């Protein structure tokens, strides 16, 4: 029995290693000659994800739409999530995501809207003098679906993208594909995001930020959760690794911390300071755990300053079959992963 237990707990590490090899193998095939654009698609929208290293293909619930659509399958009641992020240099990101279970056998439907806005930007003439102002914003509207069999989850998504800058605009389309698998004491996630053709804004062409990600979330006694993940954007090119830890304080409060390590990045991105890659956060659950509130903060540096994210999730309706984990029980339910620890 002891030997079997030890071998079971090696399975998540073996799966993560295999997934990393797959990521390294297939990513060159996606490479493009254009730099990637559409900034809003590069941002870790969820407060929970931002505080755990930013790369989170293991995320479950409505916000999984923005990281790995297969995580929608974790929902067994209707749920909606709203996020506001105060970013660098007077930039704001707002997101809404909804997840709706389609009966017992038809999976989960997800819808989302994501917007990035700047305060008016000062325009200058050839001599550097002020010449009025202009606006810039990105908008993404998405639809997703997820289903599962046993411990396997599969999700797909499609989104419409619109960018506007100083009166010029560009539109595009992208697709996402994701997979999650429950392993002994862990959850493995794989995702390919932003598959689509290049966009063109005012005679300038740029590729979408195609992203390949893999991650593992490991459960230690339903008290401590460890995240390890990696993401590669071949069109940038940029490779990052995320590490995070989450500690449960009782049944309703969680503390989080994470770090996003740039393994390969353009010189401007590599110059970002250590504090700008750290994340801290806290989560609360209320109203019989139907309401979940998350906050995250990235310290930043003297040039960029701090960023803050607030996410609120609300679930309603009758919960489904308890053989399906509820979206709001992923951290403290005794049903989550524990059968593997107890086997």
């Amino acid at each position: 029995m002891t030997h079997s237990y030890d071998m079971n707990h090696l399975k998540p590490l073996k799966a993560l290693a295999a997934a990393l090899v797959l990521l390294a193998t297939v990513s060159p095939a996606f490479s493009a000659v254009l730099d990637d654009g559409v900034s809003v698609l590069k941002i870790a929208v969820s407060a929970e994800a931002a505080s755990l290293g930013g790369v989170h293909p293991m995320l479950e619930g409505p916000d999984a739409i923005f990281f790995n659509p297969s995580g929608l399958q974790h929902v067994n009641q209707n749920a909606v999530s709203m996020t506001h992020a105060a970013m660098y240099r007077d930039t704001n990101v707002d997101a809404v995501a909804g997840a709706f279970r389609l009966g017992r056998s038809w999976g989960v439907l997800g819808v989302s809207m994501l917007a990035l806005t700047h305060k008016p930007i000062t325009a200058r003439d050839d001599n550097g003098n002020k010449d009025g102002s202009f606006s810039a914003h990105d908008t993404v509207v998405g639809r997703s679906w997820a289903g599962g069999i046993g411990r396997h989850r599969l999700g797909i998504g499609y989104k419409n993208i619109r960018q506007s800058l100083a009166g010029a605009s560009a539109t595009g389309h992208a697709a996402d594909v994701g997979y999650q698998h429950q392993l002994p004491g862990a959850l493995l996630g794989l995702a390919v995001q932003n598959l689509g053709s290049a966009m063109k804004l005012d005679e300038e062409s740029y590729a979408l930020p195609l992203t390949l990600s893999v991650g593992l979330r490991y459960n230690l006694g339903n008290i401590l959760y460890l995240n390890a993940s990696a993401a590669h954007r071949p069109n940038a090119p940029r490779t990052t690794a995320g590490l995070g830890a989450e500690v449960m304080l009782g049944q309703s409060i969680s503390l989080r911390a994470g770090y996003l390590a740039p393994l390969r990045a353009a010189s401007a991105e590599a110059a970002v300071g250590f504090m700008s890659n750290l994340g801290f956060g806290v989560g609360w659950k209320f109203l019989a755990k139907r309401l979940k509130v998350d906050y995250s903060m990235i310290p930043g540096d003297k040039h960029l300053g701090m960023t803050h994210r607030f996410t609120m999730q609300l679930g309603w309706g009758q919960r489904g079959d308890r053989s399906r984990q509820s979206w709001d029980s992923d951290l403290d339910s005794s049903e989550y992963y524990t059968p593997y620890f107890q086997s």
Side-chain angles (χ1 to χ4, degrees):
M1 293 295 293
T2 302
H3 177 70
S4 175
Y5 179 90
D6 291 339
M7 290 301 292
N8 281 339
H9 279 72
L10 288 176
K11 289 181 181 179
L13 300 179
K14 292 179 179 178
L16 180 61
L20 288 171
V21 171
L22 177 64
L23 179 67
T25 302
V26 303
S27 60
F30 290 98
S31 295
V33 296
L34 301 175
D35 291 337
D36 61 8
V38 195
S39 297
V40 71
L41 296 179
K42 308 174 191 178
I43 296 172
V45 176
S46 157
E48 177 182 345
S51 62
L52 291 170
V55 182
H56 206 336
M58 309 81 70
L59 192 66
E60 299 167 302
D63 285 338
I65 291 175
F66 304 116
F67 298 88
N68 182 343
S70 65
L72 288 171
Q73 175 63 11
H74 191 65
V75 173
N76 77 341
Q77 62 174 343
N78 297 331
V80 65
S81 171
M82 295 169 284
T83 295
H84 174 73
M87 306 296 292
Y88 306 120
R89 297 173 182 171
D90 300 309
T91 300
N92 293 299
V93 175
D94 294 283
V96 178
F100 309 94
R101 178 157 289 283
L102 304 175
R104 288 177 171 265
S105 306
W106 297 98
V108 178
L109 175 68
V111 293
S112 63
M113 178 173 287
L114 179 61
L116 180 149
T117 58
H118 302 267
K119 78 171 188 179
I121 301 168
T122 301
R124 296 184 182 275
D125 59 24
D126 294 339
N127 298 319
N129 300 315
K130 291 184 179 180
D131 186 20
S133 63
F134 61 92
S135 62
H137 62 269
D138 299 349
T139 305
V140 181
V141 177
R143 286 79 69 194
S144 303
W145 176 88
I149 300 176
R151 295 170 183 161
H152 303 272
R153 304 169 183 167
L154 179 67
I156 56 175
Y158 178 80
K159 47 201 174 190
N160 301 94
I161 306 162
R162 180 179 175 83
Q163 286 195 292
S164 297
L165 176 64
S169 63
T171 58
H173 311 274
D176 301 335
V177 180
Y179 170 76
Q180 289 181 346
H181 178 55
Q182 292 188 9
L183 294 160
L187 182 67
L188 174 70
L190 297 163
V192 179
Q193 296 176 273
N194 308 319
L195 284 161
S197 57
M199 295 176 59
K200 188 174 184 179
L201 179 65
D202 195 22
E203 305 303 322
E204 180 181 356
S205 295
Y206 48 91
L208 296 179
L210 175 66
T211 305
L212 296 84
S213 61
V214 55
L216 184 74
R217 180 171 174 84
Y218 203 86
N219 178 340
L220 297 174
N222 292 333
I223 297 175
L224 175 63
Y225 294 80
L226 301 178
N227 285 17
S229 54
H232 180 61
R233 294 202 333 253
N235 293 335
R238 174 176 168 83
T239 304
T240 54
L243 296 174
E246 182 167 21
V247 178
M248 291 301 303
L249 301 179
Q251 297 294 307
S252 300
I253 300 176
S254 57
L255 301 179
R256 308 180 182 112
Y259 180 70
L260 182 66
L263 304 181
R264 181 186 181 189
S267 57
E269 293 177 315
V272 174
F274 173 82
M275 298 300 290
S276 295
N277 292 319
L278 282 175
F280 302 95
V282 60
W284 301 269
K285 294 179 182 178
F286 309 92
L287 302 178
K289 302 174 187 175
R290 291 182 181 272
L291 175 63
K292 180 182 177 185
V293 178
D294 295 298
Y295 165 76
S296 71
M297 181 269 290
I298 296 176
D301 55 31
K302 64 180 181 180
H303 301 292
L304 296 176
M306 292 191 295
T307 67
H308 306 271
R309 290 171 175 81
F310 299 88
T311 299
M312 182 177 70
Q313 294 183 10
L314 177 65
W316 72 93
Q318 184 176 359
R319 291 188 172 106
D321 188 345
R322 292 302 297 173
S323 64
R324 302 180 188 271
Q325 273 68 43
S326 169
W327 72 274
D328 58 2
S329 64
D330 57 335
L331 297 178
D332 54 10
S333 171
S334 60
E335 299 176 9
Y336 194 70
Y337 301 152
T338 50
Y340 306 115
F341 281 96
Q342 295 171 351
S343 59

